[in-house]
Amino acid sequence: MENATTFSDLPPLPSYTLQPLPSLVPPIPDKVLSLLLPVVAYWALSMTFHLVDTYDLFPQYRLHTPAEVLKRNHATRLEVVRDVLLQHVIQTIFGLLMLVVEPEDVFGKEDYDVAVWAQRIRLAQRAIPAVLSAVGLDALGLAKKVSSPALAGALAGGSYPWLTQTMTVAAGKDAVVPVFASWEIFAAKAIYWFLVPALQFLFGILIVDTWQYFLHRLMHMNRWLYATFHSRHHRLYVPYAYGALYNHPFEGFLLDTLGTGIAYMLSGMSTRQGMWFFTCSTIKTVDDHCGYALPFDPLQHITSNNAGYHDIHHQSWGIKTNFSQPFFTFWDSSLGTQWVGGDVSARYAKSRLHAQQKLDYEKQHPEEPPHFTHIRTHESESSSEDDRPYHDEIANAKHSPEALLNIPPKVSAGGKAAQQAVGSREQVLDDKVGGGPAVLIAEAEEERDAKAALKRSTRQKAGTSTAPADSLKNLR
């Protein structure tokens, strides 16, 4: 056998053989599973929230009462389900078309890729002596003084002369080649298996947030786009979970399906990463429309973009604010489109009260036409406590009648909050097909009711107001 010779100053990369990647859930191919999981997650989470609604499990965390769902929305549940199912069909077809241009999923190259990162780490260490020298330190002198061989090797510029192995190279010759330090392999695995996927996921989030913010904002700034497409989604003034993807089909494809598809491709995610990305995006979108400010829901605390934040965007007075969706709010805060009208609990309380009174009146006067909106607010016409499960909450857990009249907040005519409110109400009027004018008529009735409540309060004992309900605290 010939004498072994040194082959290179860098550890060699291992060979590899690619093989087809087995399915996570046989016999469903991973690419097909990545299309099915978001749909399953959408309806599983939506139905969970629907059961919470149906059995009224967390009334203290509701953003809106059941009466508001019935009386304030301008789309039926059947219309919502129809359009959501249509969007799921469209996104599945689009996903199947994308499968044609995507390469086959394979495995077997993982050790090679880890070694590539380990080589990069070794090469990066060569800069350490120069960097330390620039600040007046002798890297080689320090390397001789430290007791840790790994640290000494790194300080010496990635020199590990004692880390070698003999391997057979071309023509059957043996060569002495360097090997990686254990810490280099550990760091390379951490980068390959955790850091890179995390950065890809965050990059995908950035793309989706950017795509949705600017297209969403455009839909609100352009009257034709709003009236033709986006106004359909805003007919749900009281959002609920399975209405999250209630959109015009074109808008649903453009904002949601195409946006996440572009993010997936540009970030270089694998199919299995895409499963997580598509599913997490779907879950976050549903959660943002769930209608609950749940203190135990982690998705509502990871970022400031949550159900309370997005719910403001669905109100007639906040429709031209809070455009960010579905993850973070940095575009709103950076570009000045975040809601600045302050605490909204009084606004919510007024809408709750009016919706309940309207529902009560229609129950007591079934002969009135369905579009009849006038509501008598005299206490003698109120229904019983049993028929109004939210009566106590509205009466005792919101604000005094005086506070109800502080809507909108007192700002100058040119103030930003006033401009947001005026612009939002003008946009509501653009949706004539969806009953936009009726929404503003209902708001005028709410204001009238609040004034009537103020007059009655002058005959009552002072000091009866209490703190707002927990579900409305700190909504911004």
Side-chain angles (χ1 to χ4, degrees), residues 344-409:
V344 299
S345 56
R347 293 175 178 266
Y348 277 72
K350 186 175 66 169
S351 296
R352 287 182 171 199
L353 178 63
H354 180 76
Q356 188 64 59
Q357 290 173 335
K358 186 174 182 179
L359 184 62
D360 292 341
Y361 184 84
E362 291 182 359
K363 285 181 179 179
Q364 296 173 9
H365 302 82
E367 72 283 357
E368 299 283 2
H371 63 274
F372 188 78
T373 59
H374 179 70
I375 304 166
R376 297 181 178 86
T377 57
H378 298 297
E379 287 137 347
S380 61
E381 294 189 34
S382 298
S383 59
S384 67
E385 295 294 322
D386 293 336
D387 293 332
R388 301 184 60 181
Y390 285 85
H391 176 79
D392 289 339
E393 179 185 358
I394 293 167
N396 302 323
K398 295 295 171 286
H399 284 279
S400 65
E402 289 84 356
L404 291 176
L405 285 181
N406 290 328
I407 304 169

Side-chain angles (χ1 to χ4, degrees), residues 255-304:
L255 258 70
D256 298 302
T257 304
L258 188 59
T260 52
I262 290 174
Y264 166 71
M265 297 187 72
L266 291 183
S267 62
M269 295 183 192
S270 66
T271 299
R272 292 184 179 178
Q273 286 175 280
M275 290 182 194
W276 281 97
F277 182 67
F278 296 142
T279 305
C280 288
S281 298
T282 298
I283 289 173
K284 185 66 170 62
T285 300
V286 172
D287 193 79
D288 288 348
H289 290 81
C290 71
Y292 288 85
L294 298 172
F296 47 82
D297 182 352
L299 293 178
Q300 300 200 15
H301 302 286
I302 294 174
T303 72
S304 55

Side-chain angles (χ1 to χ4, degrees), residues 15 27 31 36 42 59 67 72 146 195 264 343 413 416 425:
S15 60
K31 293 184 184 299
L36 296 177
Y42 185 94
R72 293 186 57 211
V146 298
L195 181 59
Y264 166 71
D343 182 29
K416 188 171 182 179
R425 286 181 168 87

Side-chain angles (χ1 to χ4, degrees), residues 131-442:
V131 171
L132 292 180
S133 177
V135 295
L137 296 175
D138 179 11
L140 295 178
L142 290 173
K144 294 176 182 178
K145 294 178 181 179
V146 298
S147 59
S148 169
L151 180 57
L155 288 171
S159 176
Y160 304 88
W162 64 91
L163 295 178
T164 61
Q165 67 176 355
T166 301
M167 64 178 296
T168 302
V169 294
K173 294 182 179 181
D174 286 345
V176 176
V177 298
V179 296
F180 294 110
S182 58
W183 77 267
E184 291 175 314
I185 293 295
F186 178 83
K189 287 181 177 180
I191 292 172
Y192 178 75
W193 291 108
F194 299 103
L195 181 59
V196 170
L199 291 176
Q200 288 175 302
F201 196 90
L202 289 175
F203 183 59
I205 285 176
L206 174 63
I207 294 174
V208 168
D209 274 0
T210 302
W211 178 272
Q212 291 215 4
Y213 174 84
F214 286 100
L215 280 179
H216 186 193
R217 184 174 178 178
L218 178 63
M219 291 277 185
H220 281 275
M221 296 300 108
N222 184 289
R223 292 184 69 179
W224 181 82
L225 287 175
Y226 180 80
T228 307
F229 301 112
H230 192 52
S231 60
R232 183 180 301 192
H233 181 68
H234 279 279
R235 289 168 194 168
L236 292 183
Y237 289 90
V238 181
Y240 46 83
Y242 65 84
L245 293 183
Y246 171 60
N247 299 305
H248 187 284
F250 174 74
E251 181 199 347
F253 171 77
L254 187 64
L255 258 70
D256 298 302
T257 304
L258 188 59
T260 52
I262 290 174
Y264 166 71
M265 297 187 72
L266 291 183
S267 62
M269 295 183 192
S270 66
T271 299
R272 292 184 179 178
Q273 286 175 280
M275 290 182 194
W276 281 97
F277 182 67
F278 296 142
T279 305
C280 288
S281 298
T282 298
I283 289 173
K284 185 66 170 62
T285 300
V286 172
D287 193 79
D288 288 348
H289 290 81
C290 71
Y292 288 85
L294 298 172
F296 47 82
D297 182 352
L299 293 178
Q300 300 200 15
H301 302 286
I302 294 174
T303 72
S304 55
N305 199 340
N306 51 34
Y309 184 90
H310 189 64
D311 195 86
I312 289 175
H313 177 70
H314 274 262
Q315 306 312 304
S316 61
W317 37 266
I319 204 169
K320 278 201 169 181
T321 67
N322 293 9
F323 298 123
S324 292
Q325 269 280 281
F327 294 103
F328 295 95
T329 63
F330 57 86
W331 284 120
D332 273 328
S333 57
S334 300
L335 299 180
T337 53
Q338 201 165 37
W339 167 256
V340 296
D343 182 29
V344 299
S345 56
R347 293 175 178 266
Y348 277 72
K350 186 175 66 169
S351 296
R352 287 182 171 199
L353 178 63
H354 180 76
Q356 188 64 59
Q357 290 173 335
K358 186 174 182 179
L359 184 62
D360 292 341
Y361 184 84
E362 291 182 359
K363 285 181 179 179
Q364 296 173 9
H365 302 82
E367 72 283 357
E368 299 283 2
H371 63 274
F372 188 78
T373 59
H374 179 70
I375 304 166
R376 297 181 178 86
T377 57
H378 298 297
E379 287 137 347
S380 61
E381 294 189 34
S382 298
S383 59
S384 67
E385 295 294 322
D386 293 336
D387 293 332
R388 301 184 60 181
Y390 285 85
H391 176 79
D392 289 339
E393 179 185 358
I394 293 167
N396 302 323
K398 295 295 171 286
H399 284 279
S400 65
E402 289 84 356
L404 291 176
L405 285 181
N406 290 328
I407 304 169
K410 295 181 179 180
V411 294
S412 62
K416 188 171 182 179
Q419 292 174 6
Q420 287 179 339
V422 171
S424 295
R425 286 181 168 87
E426 288 177 348
Q427 183 132 85
V428 171
L429 289 174
D430 290 338
D431 185 21
K432 296 179 175 59
V433 176
V439 173
L440 298 189
I441 291 173

